[in-house]
Amino acid sequence: MFHGIAKEESNVWEMNTSHDQTKTFIYTKKRGYDLIRNPHLNKGMAFSLEERLQLGIHGLLPPCFLSQDVQVLRVLRNYDMKKDDLDRYVCLMGLQDRNEKLFYTVLTSDIQRFMPIVYTPTVGLACQQYGLAFRRPRGLFITIHDRFHISTLLKSWPENDIRAIVVTDGERILGLGDLGCYGMGIPVGKLALYTACGGVKPHQCLPVMLDVGTNNEELLKDPLYIGLRHKRIQGQAYNDLLDEFMQAVTNRYSMNCLIQFEDFANSNAFRLLSKYRNTYCTFNDDIQGTAAVAVAGLLAALRITKNKLSDQKILFQGAGEAAMGIADLITMAMEKEGIPKDQCLTKIWMVDSKGLIVKGRDSLTEEKLRFAQNHPEMKNLEQIIKKIKPTAIIGVAAIPGAFTERIIKDMASFNERPIIFALSNPTSKAECTAEQCYRLTEGQGIFASGSPFDPVTLSDGRRLYPGQGNNAYVFPGVALGVIACGVRHITDELFLTTAETIARLVKDEDLAQGRLFPPLDNIRDVSFKLAVKIVEYAYKNNLATVNPEPENKEDLVRSHMFSNDYDQFAVDSYSWPKEAMAIQSVKL
């Protein structure tokens, strides 16, 4: 059996050479220098002698032949020589620019080691230093001045088969604020994890920066800043840019193209999600992805506390998009337990920069008003927690050290197993450390964080491994499932299914060690199982557009996954199966 998949710059042909083995051939028109400068095609010194001769690259490479395994060792040797994490980030991004398959092989060889470099917390530092770290453009930079020409800009991108886009306007990068055009590091990093953690094919991914300016005065004065040098443009011009972008994307790549919104400011994030969610295939990771991973952590924690979600009283430090997203998904999960929505809302308390969110307080947004409680106004977080006595506190306001020693000890005084989630990123913005939580609660605290923390050894000899509430457990698997079955509109129920699936994948031995999430080493398997669950959910609820419905959902998902293994080039006509020759004679 033979079939081919056409790409923009090459054709990939797969031939079943036996009942259980598939041989992959690549044909490309590129030759010589152009080929080895192309990260999608380059294999470095893994090219065979025949390939080198026929592709015109013999002499452009050293005469040595190295397997991919040896190339990985070479990369790791260079990586270990770097003096700090920013240098390591630049090293890995340089590899991605040279040899895509080797880059993903390195990442997946030890995902727990490399994820903090390509994602939080190092990606935050990389964004702050993006003017220095920038080497080669990855993705599209679309500015406010490109109105009426976005469809033309999209044609500049060399790939036609784009299935997933991550887009930001750089206004709220992690907990670091407005980084303008430097925020491009976030879409690049997110999509690297689409492939490394979820197996989404990298040539189907596109990072996008919508540059509308920046209000960061330091950047505007920086001669190395690479973005527009004016204040942010908002209002109708901003809205028109977003409308044109969404329409241009779907016109070029179809209505099935997934568009993930990332690190938009609160003022835009909620309204854009509400505006586009029922028209396009889109979601906001800061609202819905963070919600799914946080609720997954809470559901796993319930296996320790031995009660239900509706038994909890949850207090948020922060009332932005992350807090609102988590609170909405918690409410949905409580309703699933049979609790009326009005009663669910009484179990969620929020604190913003002005104090406890209560009814009658001035200047409450529509989102905050939904969670306002009947209670006197209070401003001090320590006093609020002592008064409310929550069973769980969740930090999402990027205020480092907000969970003080007094707060942690108080949580332990009125809860046998207090739930303490310090979810703000990067590490420097965490509300408390894992060690503070475990030591001040004498090991009884149930802890999760947004950025990674080292294991903690207690005085009694117990060693606890803090759970990282990393959105990478969510968005790669969600994207893979959505792409596989052609979901057009992503519902909140899909994210609740995601949270429940992740929580079920946490083993009892993980919980015993302090983990509320599966080990990061297993994240590729977690993403695969999550994608399969999403495909099942989509077909059951008439959300899928790929027909007919496949009997084997796992095979469907696998067919969309990227392989890190090098392919073999079909270097001349004698290497081609007869069917390929017939097709090529027509195509070329």
Side-chain angles (χ1 to χ4, degrees), residues 469-485:
N470 195 320
N471 287 21
Y473 284 110
V474 174
F475 61 80
V478 168
L480 181 61
V482 165
I483 290 170
C485 65

Side-chain angles (χ1 to χ4, degrees), residues 2 26 60 64 108 136 138 160 179 226 343 367 398 412 418 436 448 452 473 480 496-497 509 531:
F2 170 83
I26 291 182
L60 297 180
C64 182
T108 53
R136 293 176 61 183
R138 298 196 65 85
N160 289 324
L179 296 185
I226 62 175
Q343 189 176 337
E367 289 84 11
Q436 288 168 335
Y473 284 110
L480 181 61
L496 181 56
T497 298
E509 49 264 39

Side-chain angles (χ1 to χ4, degrees), residues 143-144 169 210-214 228 230-233 238 241:
T143 77
I144 191 73
D169 69 354
L210 297 178
D211 189 353
V212 298
T214 178
L228 293 178
H230 57 64
K231 295 285 188 178
R232 281 190 171 272
I233 294 176
Y238 179 91
L241 177 75

Side-chain angles (χ1 to χ4, degrees), residues 40 67 73 118 140-141 143 164 183 275 294 297 369 434 439 451 487 568 572 575 583-584:
H40 304 304
S67 69
L73 293 176
V118 299
L140 282 178
F141 293 84
T143 77
K275 181 178 183 180
L369 191 59
R439 293 197 185 282
S451 291
V487 170
Q568 179 179 338
D572 58 46
S575 302
I583 294 173
Q584 277 304 109

Side-chain angles (χ1 to χ4, degrees), residues 398-534:
I399 301 176
F403 294 165
T404 63
E405 179 177 341
R406 181 73 270 152
I407 286 174
I408 296 171
K409 286 185 173 180
D410 281 346
M411 284 293 293
S413 71
F414 41 74
N415 292 294
E416 182 180 350
R417 300 300 304 270
I419 299 171
I420 299 173
F421 285 7
L423 298 183
S424 293
N425 287 315
T427 310
S428 60
K429 300 292 184 178
E431 287 75 14
C432 69
T433 67
E435 184 169 5
Q436 288 168 335
C437 174
Y438 290 139
R439 293 197 185 282
L440 293 173
T441 63
E442 297 180 355
Q444 295 303 104
I446 302 172
F447 179 81
S449 59
S451 291
F453 281 101
D454 292 331
V456 177
T457 302
L458 300 177
S459 56
D460 60 7
R462 282 186 295 159
R463 189 167 176 83
L464 297 176
Y465 296 81
Q468 185 188 355
N470 195 320
N471 287 21
Y473 284 110
V474 174
F475 61 80
V478 168
L480 181 61
V482 165
I483 290 170
C485 65
V487 170
R488 288 270 175 94
H489 306 299
I490 302 175
T491 65
D492 284 333
E493 288 80 6
L494 187 146
F495 284 101
L496 181 56
T497 298
T498 295
E500 293 168 343
T501 301
I502 295 170
R504 281 195 296 269
L505 293 174
V506 181
K507 299 177 181 178
D508 290 340
E509 49 264 39
D510 295 328
L511 295 174
Q513 294 179 332
R515 293 190 179 100
L516 297 180
F517 303 93
L520 278 175
D521 291 341
N522 299 335
I523 196 166
R524 188 74 176 251
D525 184 58
V526 170
S527 296
F528 172 74
K529 290 177 179 175
L530 173 57
V532 172
K533 193 69 178 177
I534 286 172

Side-chain angles (χ1 to χ4, degrees), residues 205-217:
C205 299
L206 174 59
V208 175
M209 158 57 63
L210 297 178
D211 189 353
V212 298
T214 178
N215 294 331
N216 188 321
E217 291 291 344

